[in-house]
Every structure is written in structure tokens, then in C-alpha cells.
Amino acid sequence: TSEVKHKHKPIKYEEFEGSNLFRLKIAYSFLLNRPIRISNIRAESINPGMTQYEVNFLKLVSEISNGTKIQINQTGTGFTLIPGTITNNYGDQLTFECDKSRCITYYAEGLIPICMYGKESLHIKLKGITNNLIDNSVDSFKMSTCVLLQKLVIGDTVEFKIIRRGILPNGIGEVDFKIPIITGLAPFDWLNEGKIKRVRGVAFTSKLPASFTTQMVDTCRGVLNNFLPDVWIAVDNFKDKELDKISPGYGISITAETKEGFCLSTDLMNDKEDLTKNANDISKECSMKFLNDIYKSGCTNCHNQGLFLFLMALSEKNYVSYMKIGKVSEHTKQVLKFIYKKLGVKFNIRECDDYDKDESEDENSIEEDNEDENEEEESDNSFDNKKFTEELPIPYKQFMFSCVGIGLKNVARIEL
């Protein structure tokens, strides 16, 4: 008998360094089936190595896949990842305990690009922190990110239910998240965000009197009703029979809905270290930040830019995708470099001009100009009017991003 020796080919890892774009690198590994090695993670920091929430995210992606191999070195400053098949627990409900140092939305955002290319739809219950000062709140995630994601999912619905609140330090929050799978992403056509038709929001408290939410709603409406009459803020006063299990806190989330179906969200909650601000101050600060975000946003706000630009790079390769974006964040710039380096997708970026504006706005402006020409009356306060027009803010620059995607298809899904 002859002995046949099987020689295993050495695995070629794609090398990365640092903790930057941690979730995006893992998504890239799974979607393109590329083994990766990440080294020098906070190697020169006071606390070197991966944080607990990063290790927890690796544990989460291993639970929704089959055959994934993860090996972390002894110092925790590096690991290797060999991606397996994205099964999404074969459609069965999965419960996962998130680390309390980051919000539940940190894990939900990282799951989106991975789970959309799985065998079956993902149904997961995430437990942990629902509101903090670092991440997007669950209310903003539900009203903004999930609504934008629904535009990409055809024939199915994205579900995100907030079961209970969770605030530091106890953090017993819980959400129910359902992400449908796709065969491929259609080209983006996000050219015009449209005018804002209404504002919705949620003011919440945890283990605190309902007077906090009343103050926040009144203050928010006092600011936003100067611009729009249709403002409605819901109230969520969370309490539990066992008060020892929940932590006190309060906050507010505001979302602008446009006529074209795009949503822009802003949220803010109390800082336990800064006791100088009360509920009115928090609500007013959030309202002003909300107006500023609208002024600087396009079809997505700064928080969602990186995620949807990455999905845009995965769309069909036979068509050009478009997306209008306002102020480009530093995180988005790093995402664009990563996409060009690893996916080979180069974005064409140009500044929006008068041609890209809404036609309805142009018609209204023409009518107003004609009315002004017909009157031709000079008033005594012409100097004051000129001074007023000079003080108006200059419109913020918007940019049109366009690219041709790589046409990634879902090869893991079960075909009936």
C-alpha cells in the first residue's frame, strides 16, 4: 500500500494594523471570504490589546457563523480570523449579552453588512446598554438607520423593537432585531433627500419621575415649532418592579422625516459626571444639535455615512450608484480609503451645484423673484433688509458620491 501525504497549503492572511475600523475589517473578511490578521492593537497604549467589547463582538460573529476560527495572541494585541459560512443561526432566535462598555447599537451596526449575506434571516435579542454618550441610541438607530436600511431590502421588513431600557451601570436593556437576507444590493439612487415634512422623537426616563420627560418635550417643541408645526415627541417612562436592577437616567432622541423617505436623527442623554445641566438644558442642546445636523446632512447624517458607503460599494457592478452627503466625517474618509484599497472601488466626488437642487425649490424662488420685480417699491428700511440678508448663513456644501460597486452576491443563502 502506498501512503499518500496530504500537504495543507499555508493560509495567506491579509495583514492589518491597529484597532481602527475594527468591525469593517471583520465584515470585509466574511463577505469576501478573506482570512485576516490584525496586529498592534493599542500596542503603545497604557492598556494595550483589544477591549472587552471588541472581544465580545468577535464572539458574536462566531455565533452567527459556522466554521469560523479565531485565535487571539497572549498579549491581546492581535488575532487571526478565518471566516466561516454566515448561517445566522439558521433562522432560529439567538440571544446575546453585549458588553456594557458600549451600546447595543455598536453590535447591531456591525452585524448589518454581515447578516444581510447569510443563509437565512437573522433574529437576535441583544441585551445590554440602550443609551450612552458614545454610540447612537436605540431610538435613533430604529428611526434612522433601520429606515434607510429598509430602502435596500426588497420584499421583506427590518424589525427593531425596544423591549426595555438599560443605562449604566446596571444596563439590563433588551432589543429584538430582525435582519432579512438579500441576493444582492440594487444600485443606490439617493440623489435628493427632499424637504422635511415632520419631526418625531422619543423622550425617555429610567427610574425617574415623569416630570423629566414633560420638561424635555416642552423645551424641544419650543425650539422646533419655530420651523415646523408637525412636531411630536413620544414619552417613555421606564420603570421596573425591582428598582435595584435598573439605573437612573434620561435623554431625548429627535428624527426628521423627509418627503423622499429619508430620516436624520440626533440624540442626547444626561451626563452623570456633569450635574450642571438639567432636563431643559439637555433638550435644548439636543434640539440645536439636531438643527445643525440637518444643516450639514444630505441623505444620511454623519453617523450613517460609513455604513451605507460600504454597502454602496457592494452594489451591482453594471450600474452607477449615487448618494448625496453633507459634511464628510473623519471616519468616513477612513472608510473611503479602506474601500479603495481593499475593494478597488473608487468614488467620484463632486460638489453639488444648482443643477442638483430640488425643482420645487427653484420654482418657488422664481415666483418670489417675479413678485419682487413687480412691486418695485423702495422702503425706508432697505438698509435693514440688506443687513438682514447679509447675516443669513451660507448654505453648507453638499457632495455627490458616485461609484460602480463590485456586485457582491449572496452565495450562502438557501435556494428553494
Side-chain angles (χ1 to χ4, degrees):
T1 58
S2 60
E3 296 180 1
V4 179
K5 295 183 179 180
H6 298 280
K7 294 183 179 180
H8 297 281
K9 295 182 179 180
I11 300 174
K12 294 182 179 180
Y13 294 95
E14 291 198 25
E15 301 289 340
F16 296 98
E17 287 191 2
S19 61
N20 195 21
L21 303 178
F22 183 83
R23 295 170 296 175
L24 189 62
K25 294 172 184 175
I26 295 175
Y28 163 78
S29 175
F30 274 94
L31 296 179
L32 277 78
N33 196 22
R34 306 279 177 82
I36 62 172
R37 177 189 286 114
I38 303 180
S39 58
N40 295 329
I41 300 177
R42 302 181 184 89
E44 298 179 358
S45 176
I46 300 175
N47 299 317
M50 288 188 294
T51 58
Q52 187 59 41
Y53 63 84
E54 290 172 338
V55 176
N56 218 24
F57 185 77
L58 288 175
K59 180 181 178 182
L60 175 59
V61 296
S62 65
E63 289 192 11
I64 64 169
S65 59
N66 187 16
T68 301
K69 297 180 181 179
I70 301 173
Q71 187 174 1
I72 303 174
N73 61 13
Q74 294 181 351
T75 59
T77 57
F79 70 93
T80 58
L81 169 64
I82 302 176
T85 304
I86 307 170
T87 61
N88 291 337
N89 203 29
Y90 296 99
D92 297 332
Q93 184 177 350
L94 178 66
T95 302
F96 186 78
E97 190 76 29
C98 302
D99 188 72
K100 295 180 181 179
S101 57
R102 296 300 291 265
C103 185
I104 287 175
T105 55
Y106 172 84
Y107 298 87
E109 289 170 1
L111 285 177
I112 288 175
I114 302 175
C115 297
M116 292 175 69
Y117 290 88
K119 279 186 176 293
E120 291 189 2
S121 299
L122 177 67
H123 183 196
I124 187 170
K125 278 191 175 182
L126 298 172
K127 297 182 178 181
I129 302 296
T130 58
N131 301 81
N132 64 6
L133 294 170
I134 305 174
D135 303 298
N136 213 10
S137 70
V138 289
D139 300 292
S140 297
F141 182 84
K142 177 181 179 180
M143 296 297 295
S144 178
T145 308
C146 291
V147 172
L148 295 176
L149 187 63
Q150 186 64 61
K151 289 178 169 292
L152 309 178
V153 179
I154 301 173
D156 212 333
T157 56
V158 179
E159 297 182 11
F160 190 84
K161 297 180 181 179
I162 305 170
I163 300 175
R164 56 188 299 159
R165 298 279 172 180
I167 301 173
L168 288 173
N170 293 340
I172 56 171
E174 185 177 347
V175 299
D176 191 17
F177 193 22
K178 292 182 180 179
I179 313 175
I181 60 173
I182 58 173
T183 56
L185 284 171
F188 284 57
D189 190 20
W190 295 6
L191 296 172
N192 180 27
E193 69 274 21
K195 294 181 179 180
I196 296 173
K197 62 179 181 179
R198 61 189 177 191
V199 173
R200 295 292 182 263
V202 177
F204 77 91
T205 60
S206 175
K207 201 180 179 180
L208 290 174
S211 59
F212 281 81
T213 53
T214 305
Q215 295 176 16
M216 287 188 288
V217 170
D218 293 340
T219 304
C220 181
R221 290 181 62 89
V223 175
L224 299 181
N225 279 142
N226 295 322
F227 308 95
L228 195 69
D230 192 359
V231 179
W232 187 73
I233 311 295
V235 172
D236 182 10
N237 297 309
F238 175 67
K239 293 183 179 179
D240 195 274
K241 294 181 180 179
E242 300 179 7
L243 294 177
D244 296 336
K245 290 186 177 181
I246 61 177
S247 302
Y250 60 90
I252 186 170
S253 173
I254 315 172
T255 303
E257 301 179 15
T258 71
K259 293 182 179 180
E260 299 297 328
F262 294 96
C263 293
L264 308 171
S265 295
T266 303
D267 58 80
L268 193 65
M269 68 170 295
N270 68 307
D271 188 356
K272 296 182 180 180
E273 297 181 358
D274 186 7
L275 302 178
T276 59
K277 296 180 180 179
N278 54 24
N280 292 328
D281 297 333
I282 295 293
S283 181
K284 186 175 182 180
E285 183 180 347
C286 184
S287 301
M288 299 306 294
K289 181 183 176 184
F290 171 70
L291 295 173
N292 190 39
D293 288 346
I294 292 176
Y295 178 62
K296 295 181 179 180
S297 296
C299 293
T300 64
N301 54 10
C302 292
H303 196 87
N304 291 320
Q305 287 176 3
L307 172 62
F308 288 98
L309 283 174
F310 180 68
L311 293 177
M312 186 174 168
L314 304 177
S315 61
E316 287 189 25
K317 59 183 178 181
N318 296 326
Y319 301 92
V320 181
S321 296
Y322 297 93
M323 184 190 299
K324 184 190 287 186
I325 291 179
K327 182 179 180 181
V328 182
S329 63
E330 292 297 327
H331 176 264
T332 303
K333 295 177 182 178
Q334 296 173 1
V335 172
L336 292 173
K337 292 178 182 178
F338 180 86
I339 292 174
Y340 177 66
K341 184 177 180 180
K342 294 300 177 182
L343 300 181
V345 176
K346 187 176 183 180
F347 285 84
N348 181 23
I349 306 172
R350 66 175 178 86
E351 184 177 340
C352 295
D353 50 19
D354 296 336
Y355 177 77
D356 300 307
K357 291 183 180 179
D358 190 4
E359 295 180 357
S360 60
E361 295 180 1
D362 296 337
E363 294 175 358
N364 294 334
S365 62
I366 293 173
E367 293 177 359
E368 292 174 359
D369 293 340
N370 293 334
E371 292 176 359
D372 294 339
E373 291 177 358
N374 294 333
E375 290 181 359
E376 292 183 355
E377 294 181 356
E378 294 183 359
S379 58
D380 296 335
N381 59 350
S382 60
F383 177 77
D384 295 335
N385 290 335
K386 183 178 179 182
K387 182 179 179 181
F388 175 74
T389 54
E390 289 177 352
E391 292 177 353
L392 287 175
I394 301 173
Y396 203 87
K397 292 182 180 180
Q398 290 183 319
F399 301 92
M400 188 67 69
F401 283 66
S402 60
C403 76
V404 178
I406 62 174
L408 184 66
K409 297 297 181 182
N410 187 357
V411 297
R413 67 187 179 93
I414 298 176
E415 297 183 359
L416 299 177

